[in-house]
Amino acid sequence: MRAWPSVHLPELPGNAPPLRLFDTATGQVRPSAPGPVATMYVCGITPYDATHMGHANTYVAFDLLHRIWRDGGHDVRYVQNVTDIDDPLLERAVATGQDWRSIADRETALFREDMHALRVLPPGEYIGAVESIPSVAGYVAGLQAKGLVYAVDDDLYFRVRSDPNFGSVTHLDEETMIRLFAERGGDPDRPGKEHPLDCLVWQSERADEPAWDTPLGHGRPGWHIECAAIALDFLGMTIDVQGGGSDLAFPHHEMGASEAQMITDQWPFARHYVHSGMVAWQGHKMSKSRGNLVFVSALRHEGVDPMAIRLALLAHHYRTDWAWTPHGLEGAAERLARLRAAIAVADPPPAESTLERMREALADDLRSPAALDALDDWAHRALRSSAAANTQGRAASEAGALIAAASDALLGVRLETEGD
């Protein structure tokens, strides 16, 4: 599956400080400490309603991480999946009378357009669940050979408690795990299961549902094993960051990590588990099931500058929960206009200290609001003192060009307009 086109990433002068990130598994902000090649897997969309602001918030957050690693001199191996076969997609197909593949293709294409408009750097590998089915079947067979998988009717389940480290990602008590498992696509009450938390790794064919021929039989994979398989295939163990929205921490990341760990007999699956916050609208978390969605594409079609949308997202720390509002978008549009006016000032103040402040803020757990504060301070001074002499003797546009490059490279916000 193809990703979206990349965008130019300006090179900045000087050196970036090492990145420190909050890790869900330890509850601490710790150095990310990748090697020359940093590895990241971020769970992608289930393509039946793309791209709402909850999606955009997550992928812009991990785009920040991607950019900060790149600014720090790392190559980045970034993998993202598309869950292009799953129960919610099939349910939407039945409800609308459309073919599930047409829905998946259309919504994935729209997602790619939105990501490109928001200047999100594409993953190096963009992998659909359907194309990963042969690999998933192989991994399930491996778990089966180890005695870690059992049958319920014709479906196959993974014994999560076979992993001695199960629970080490989220540290939830069992009662909470079971409740969240039921709320987030699990089946803790299914008769025949050995433990309520055991998770489906292979589902046998259902009437009127798609299925694929594999050595396991005619069927399709469970959700968690898909991401484990794709990550192992393209990144291996142990990756630097496993990422996604906070609603994926349990069960998805917890169970996927256990599956990968038992497949490879290695621990941990990831050095950092990083989760973005939830975005609310109309008093509730933005979700497809509730239907309270604000779409990137709809705003774009209304003429909203994608850079204003991106600024509205960056105004919130990536791992906080917050509410989308029209007022917030208006403020982002005003900020964008102010920054664009400031970089056009003929004789702006020096910008090196602003770049340093931005880097320090972003290296401290991706504090994008503090980085925007640094930009705002510079813009305020530039607009107030645009006639002041340049005591550093630099060319008139040098500081503005550095600010524009820093905004683009670090925050993904392009301040130059077409024709600049």
Side-chain angles (χ1 to χ4, degrees), residues 186-217:
D187 56 358
D189 298 325
R190 180 173 180 177
K193 288 178 59 174
E194 295 177 0
H195 191 283
L197 292 172
D198 289 346
C199 59
L200 184 73
V201 289
W202 188 259
Q203 176 177 293
S204 63
E205 182 180 14
R206 303 293 197 264
D208 301 320
E209 290 189 5
W212 288 262
D213 284 320
T214 74
L216 298 173

Short mmCIF file of all heavy atoms in Angstrom, two decimals, residues 186-217:
data_model
loop_
_atom_site.label_atom_id
_atom_site.label_comp_id
_atom_site.label_asym_id
_atom_site.label_seq_id
_atom_site.Cartn_x
_atom_site.Cartn_y
_atom_site.Cartn_z
N GLY A 186 -13.20 -6.28 22.54
CA GLY A 186 -12.91 -7.62 23.04
C GLY A 186 -14.17 -8.41 23.35
O GLY A 186 -15.30 -7.91 23.23
N ASP A 187 -13.97 -9.66 23.76
CA ASP A 187 -15.10 -10.54 24.04
C ASP A 187 -14.85 -11.33 25.33
O ASP A 187 -14.79 -12.56 25.31
CB ASP A 187 -15.34 -11.50 22.87
CG ASP A 187 -14.09 -12.31 22.51
OD1 ASP A 187 -13.03 -12.11 23.13
OD2 ASP A 187 -14.19 -13.17 21.61
N PRO A 188 -14.74 -10.64 26.47
CA PRO A 188 -14.39 -11.34 27.71
C PRO A 188 -15.40 -12.39 28.14
O PRO A 188 -15.05 -13.33 28.86
CB PRO A 188 -14.28 -10.22 28.73
CG PRO A 188 -15.10 -9.11 28.18
CD PRO A 188 -14.93 -9.19 26.70
N ASP A 189 -16.65 -12.26 27.71
CA ASP A 189 -17.70 -13.17 28.17
C ASP A 189 -17.97 -14.33 27.22
O ASP A 189 -18.92 -15.09 27.43
CB ASP A 189 -19.01 -12.38 28.39
CG ASP A 189 -18.87 -11.32 29.45
OD1 ASP A 189 -18.12 -11.56 30.43
OD2 ASP A 189 -19.48 -10.24 29.30
N ARG A 190 -17.15 -14.50 26.21
CA ARG A 190 -17.44 -15.58 25.26
C ARG A 190 -17.28 -16.94 25.93
O ARG A 190 -16.24 -17.24 26.53
CB ARG A 190 -16.49 -15.49 24.05
CG ARG A 190 -16.77 -16.60 23.04
CD ARG A 190 -15.99 -16.47 21.77
NE ARG A 190 -16.31 -17.58 20.87
CZ ARG A 190 -15.83 -17.71 19.63
NH1 ARG A 190 -14.99 -16.79 19.15
NH2 ARG A 190 -16.18 -18.74 18.88
N PRO A 191 -18.28 -17.79 25.83
CA PRO A 191 -18.17 -19.14 26.40
C PRO A 191 -17.05 -19.93 25.72
O PRO A 191 -16.83 -19.81 24.52
CB PRO A 191 -19.54 -19.76 26.10
CG PRO A 191 -20.46 -18.60 25.90
CD PRO A 191 -19.63 -17.53 25.28
N GLY A 192 -16.37 -20.73 26.52
CA GLY A 192 -15.31 -21.57 25.99
C GLY A 192 -13.92 -21.01 26.13
O GLY A 192 -12.93 -21.74 25.97
N LYS A 193 -13.82 -19.71 26.44
CA LYS A 193 -12.49 -19.13 26.63
C LYS A 193 -11.91 -19.57 27.97
O LYS A 193 -12.62 -19.71 28.96
CB LYS A 193 -12.57 -17.60 26.57
CG LYS A 193 -12.84 -17.05 25.18
CD LYS A 193 -12.96 -15.53 25.16
CE LYS A 193 -11.73 -14.83 25.68
NZ LYS A 193 -11.80 -13.37 25.52
N GLU A 194 -10.59 -19.75 28.00
CA GLU A 194 -9.92 -20.14 29.24
C GLU A 194 -9.81 -18.97 30.21
O GLU A 194 -9.83 -19.17 31.43
CB GLU A 194 -8.52 -20.68 28.92
CG GLU A 194 -8.52 -21.96 28.12
CD GLU A 194 -7.13 -22.44 27.76
OE1 GLU A 194 -6.15 -21.76 28.14
OE2 GLU A 194 -7.01 -23.49 27.11
N HIS A 195 -9.66 -17.77 29.68
CA HIS A 195 -9.56 -16.57 30.52
C HIS A 195 -10.27 -15.44 29.80
O HIS A 195 -10.18 -15.32 28.57
CB HIS A 195 -8.09 -16.21 30.76
CG HIS A 195 -7.89 -15.17 31.83
ND1 HIS A 195 -8.12 -13.84 31.60
CD2 HIS A 195 -7.48 -15.28 33.13
CE1 HIS A 195 -7.87 -13.15 32.71
NE2 HIS A 195 -7.49 -14.00 33.64
N PRO A 196 -10.98 -14.57 30.53
CA PRO A 196 -11.73 -13.49 29.86
C PRO A 196 -10.86 -12.60 28.98
O PRO A 196 -11.36 -12.04 28.00
CB PRO A 196 -12.33 -12.70 31.04
CG PRO A 196 -12.40 -13.67 32.16
CD PRO A 196 -11.22 -14.58 32.00
N LEU A 197 -9.57 -12.44 29.32
CA LEU A 197 -8.71 -11.53 28.58
C LEU A 197 -8.00 -12.16 27.40
O LEU A 197 -7.33 -11.47 26.64
CB LEU A 197 -7.67 -10.91 29.53
CG LEU A 197 -8.23 -9.95 30.58
CD1 LEU A 197 -7.16 -9.56 31.58
CD2 LEU A 197 -8.83 -8.71 29.92
N ASP A 198 -8.11 -13.46 27.23
CA ASP A 198 -7.50 -14.07 26.06
C ASP A 198 -8.06 -13.43 24.80
O ASP A 198 -9.27 -13.16 24.71
CB ASP A 198 -7.74 -15.58 26.05
CG ASP A 198 -6.94 -16.30 27.13
OD1 ASP A 198 -6.01 -15.68 27.70
OD2 ASP A 198 -7.26 -17.48 27.40
N CYS A 199 -7.17 -13.16 23.83
CA CYS A 199 -7.61 -12.37 22.68
C CYS A 199 -7.56 -13.18 21.39
O CYS A 199 -6.73 -14.06 21.20
CB CYS A 199 -6.78 -11.10 22.55
SG CYS A 199 -5.01 -11.35 22.34
N LEU A 200 -8.47 -12.83 20.50
CA LEU A 200 -8.62 -13.51 19.22
C LEU A 200 -7.41 -13.23 18.33
O LEU A 200 -7.02 -12.07 18.14
CB LEU A 200 -9.89 -12.99 18.54
CG LEU A 200 -10.29 -13.63 17.21
CD1 LEU A 200 -10.84 -15.03 17.44
CD2 LEU A 200 -11.33 -12.75 16.52
N VAL A 201 -6.81 -14.27 17.79
CA VAL A 201 -5.73 -14.10 16.82
C VAL A 201 -6.13 -14.59 15.43
O VAL A 201 -5.51 -14.21 14.44
CB VAL A 201 -4.43 -14.79 17.28
CG1 VAL A 201 -3.81 -14.05 18.45
CG2 VAL A 201 -4.66 -16.26 17.61
N TRP A 202 -7.14 -15.46 15.35
CA TRP A 202 -7.63 -15.90 14.04
C TRP A 202 -9.10 -16.21 14.14
O TRP A 202 -9.53 -16.96 15.01
CB TRP A 202 -6.88 -17.15 13.57
CG TRP A 202 -7.23 -17.51 12.16
CD1 TRP A 202 -8.10 -18.49 11.77
CD2 TRP A 202 -6.79 -16.86 10.98
NE1 TRP A 202 -8.21 -18.49 10.39
CE2 TRP A 202 -7.41 -17.50 9.88
CE3 TRP A 202 -5.92 -15.79 10.73
CZ2 TRP A 202 -7.18 -17.10 8.57
CZ3 TRP A 202 -5.69 -15.40 9.42
CH2 TRP A 202 -6.32 -16.06 8.36
N GLN A 203 -9.87 -15.58 13.26
CA GLN A 203 -11.32 -15.78 13.23
C GLN A 203 -11.68 -16.59 12.00
O GLN A 203 -11.34 -16.21 10.87
CB GLN A 203 -12.03 -14.42 13.19
CG GLN A 203 -13.53 -14.51 13.08
CD GLN A 203 -14.18 -13.14 13.11
OE1 GLN A 203 -14.15 -12.46 14.13
NE2 GLN A 203 -14.75 -12.73 11.99
N SER A 204 -12.38 -17.69 12.22
CA SER A 204 -12.79 -18.51 11.09
C SER A 204 -13.86 -17.79 10.27
O SER A 204 -14.47 -16.81 10.72
CB SER A 204 -13.34 -19.85 11.59
OG SER A 204 -14.50 -19.65 12.39
N GLU A 205 -14.07 -18.27 9.07
CA GLU A 205 -14.98 -17.62 8.14
C GLU A 205 -16.38 -17.49 8.73
O GLU A 205 -16.91 -18.40 9.35
CB GLU A 205 -15.05 -18.42 6.84
CG GLU A 205 -15.95 -17.80 5.79
CD GLU A 205 -16.00 -18.61 4.52
OE1 GLU A 205 -15.55 -19.77 4.55
OE2 GLU A 205 -16.48 -18.10 3.49
N ARG A 206 -16.97 -16.31 8.54
CA ARG A 206 -18.36 -16.04 8.91
C ARG A 206 -19.18 -15.88 7.64
O ARG A 206 -18.66 -15.41 6.61
CB ARG A 206 -18.47 -14.77 9.76
CG ARG A 206 -17.64 -14.76 11.04
CD ARG A 206 -18.14 -15.78 12.06
NE ARG A 206 -17.64 -15.50 13.40
CZ ARG A 206 -16.56 -16.06 13.95
NH1 ARG A 206 -15.84 -16.94 13.25
NH2 ARG A 206 -16.19 -15.76 15.18
N ALA A 207 -20.43 -16.20 7.72
CA ALA A 207 -21.31 -16.05 6.56
C ALA A 207 -21.33 -14.59 6.10
O ALA A 207 -21.45 -13.67 6.92
CB ALA A 207 -22.72 -16.51 6.91
N ASP A 208 -21.22 -14.38 4.79
CA ASP A 208 -21.31 -13.06 4.17
C ASP A 208 -20.20 -12.11 4.61
O ASP A 208 -20.36 -10.89 4.53
CB ASP A 208 -22.68 -12.42 4.45
CG ASP A 208 -23.84 -13.26 3.92
OD1 ASP A 208 -23.70 -13.82 2.82
OD2 ASP A 208 -24.86 -13.37 4.64
N GLU A 209 -19.08 -12.64 5.12
CA GLU A 209 -17.93 -11.81 5.47
C GLU A 209 -16.72 -12.29 4.69
O GLU A 209 -16.61 -13.48 4.36
CB GLU A 209 -17.64 -11.87 6.98
CG GLU A 209 -18.68 -11.19 7.83
CD GLU A 209 -18.24 -11.08 9.29
OE1 GLU A 209 -17.09 -11.48 9.60
OE2 GLU A 209 -19.04 -10.61 10.11
N PRO A 210 -15.80 -11.38 4.37
CA PRO A 210 -14.61 -11.79 3.62
C PRO A 210 -13.72 -12.72 4.44
O PRO A 210 -13.67 -12.64 5.67
CB PRO A 210 -13.90 -10.46 3.33
CG PRO A 210 -14.38 -9.53 4.40
CD PRO A 210 -15.79 -9.94 4.69
N ALA A 211 -13.03 -13.61 3.75
CA ALA A 211 -12.11 -14.54 4.40
C ALA A 211 -11.03 -14.90 3.40
O ALA A 211 -11.21 -14.77 2.17
CB ALA A 211 -12.85 -15.79 4.89
N TRP A 212 -9.89 -15.36 3.92
CA TRP A 212 -8.74 -15.68 3.09
C TRP A 212 -8.25 -17.09 3.42
O TRP A 212 -8.30 -17.53 4.57
CB TRP A 212 -7.62 -14.67 3.34
CG TRP A 212 -7.91 -13.32 2.77
CD1 TRP A 212 -7.47 -12.83 1.57
CD2 TRP A 212 -8.72 -12.27 3.35
NE1 TRP A 212 -7.95 -11.55 1.36
CE2 TRP A 212 -8.72 -11.18 2.44
CE3 TRP A 212 -9.46 -12.16 4.53
CZ2 TRP A 212 -9.41 -10.01 2.68
CZ3 TRP A 212 -10.15 -10.99 4.77
CH2 TRP A 212 -10.13 -9.92 3.86
N ASP A 213 -7.76 -17.77 2.40
CA ASP A 213 -7.21 -19.10 2.58
C ASP A 213 -5.78 -19.02 3.12
O ASP A 213 -4.93 -18.33 2.53
CB ASP A 213 -7.19 -19.86 1.25
CG ASP A 213 -8.58 -20.35 0.85
OD1 ASP A 213 -9.31 -20.80 1.75
OD2 ASP A 213 -8.90 -20.27 -0.34
N THR A 214 -5.53 -19.71 4.22
CA THR A 214 -4.20 -19.78 4.82
C THR A 214 -4.03 -21.18 5.41
O THR A 214 -5.00 -21.94 5.50
CB THR A 214 -4.03 -18.75 5.96
OG1 THR A 214 -4.76 -19.20 7.11
CG2 THR A 214 -4.53 -17.36 5.56
N PRO A 215 -2.82 -21.53 5.84
CA PRO A 215 -2.64 -22.82 6.52
C PRO A 215 -3.49 -22.96 7.78
O PRO A 215 -3.72 -24.07 8.26
CB PRO A 215 -1.15 -22.83 6.85
CG PRO A 215 -0.53 -21.96 5.81
CD PRO A 215 -1.53 -20.87 5.57
N LEU A 216 -3.98 -21.83 8.34
CA LEU A 216 -4.84 -21.89 9.52
C LEU A 216 -6.28 -22.18 9.16
O LEU A 216 -7.11 -22.43 10.05
CB LEU A 216 -4.78 -20.55 10.28
CG LEU A 216 -3.43 -20.13 10.83
CD1 LEU A 216 -3.51 -18.72 11.41
CD2 LEU A 216 -2.93 -21.11 11.88
N GLY A 217 -6.61 -22.13 7.89
CA GLY A 217 -7.98 -22.29 7.45
C GLY A 217 -8.47 -21.04 6.76
O GLY A 217 -7.71 -20.09 6.49
#
